Amino acid sequence: MSLFIGKTVHLEIWEMMKGLLGMIVLPSLVAMLVNQFYSKSVAEKWNKILAPFSKLGLAVVVSINSSVVAPYIRHIDKKFIQIALTIFLLLYAAIFLLGFLEF
């Protein structure tokens, strides 16, 4: 970040990892274990029962992330726009270059 905005950013990596574990890794592992060790009919039954909770969980994650970002978006200035455009252009260039790779 110091390259783009001239300042360093302190990240609480352990807190971020705990959040990712709880929101992504553990539910994914449970789903994979159910699909692996139970019959197909049981996995399909659980899929039908748990599908609404999956959607609600996604909405909760988006809400939490939005509430964390909201104070930064409330006061948009020139520097914010420069950072957003830089990130957008870098991602666009990366996606464009990945399009030439053949997998």
Side-chain angles (χ1 to χ4, degrees):
M1 288 301 257
S2 63
L3 177 65
F4 295 118
I5 59 174
K7 294 185 179 182
T8 58
V9 177
H10 174 72
L11 296 175
E12 295 181 17
I13 295 174
W14 179 242
E15 293 298 320
M16 193 180 339
M17 288 298 150
K18 285 194 310 189
L20 289 172
L21 279 171
M23 289 186 279
I24 297 170
V25 176
L26 292 178
S28 298
L29 285 174
V30 169
M32 287 186 280
L33 289 172
V34 166
N35 283 326
Q36 183 71 28
F37 294 114
Y38 287 98
S39 67
K40 189 173 183 178
S41 63
V42 172
E44 287 176 3
K45 182 180 177 183
W46 279 39
N47 187 19
K48 289 178 185 176
I49 294 170
L50 296 177
F53 296 106
S54 172
K55 307 301 185 270
L56 289 172
L58 181 61
V60 168
V61 169
V62 169
S63 299
I64 291 170
N65 289 333
S66 299
S67 66
V68 170
V69 173
Y72 299 104
I73 296 179
R74 188 171 290 157
H75 304 288
I76 296 178
D77 58 354
K78 182 180 175 185
K79 192 170 217 171
F80 179 84
I81 293 172
Q82 287 174 337
I83 294 169
L85 284 174
T86 301
I87 292 171
F88 175 78
L89 291 174
L90 287 173
L91 287 174
Y92 184 79
I95 292 169
F96 181 77
L97 293 174
L98 283 173
F100 288 109
L101 297 178
E102 295 182 22
F103 292 101

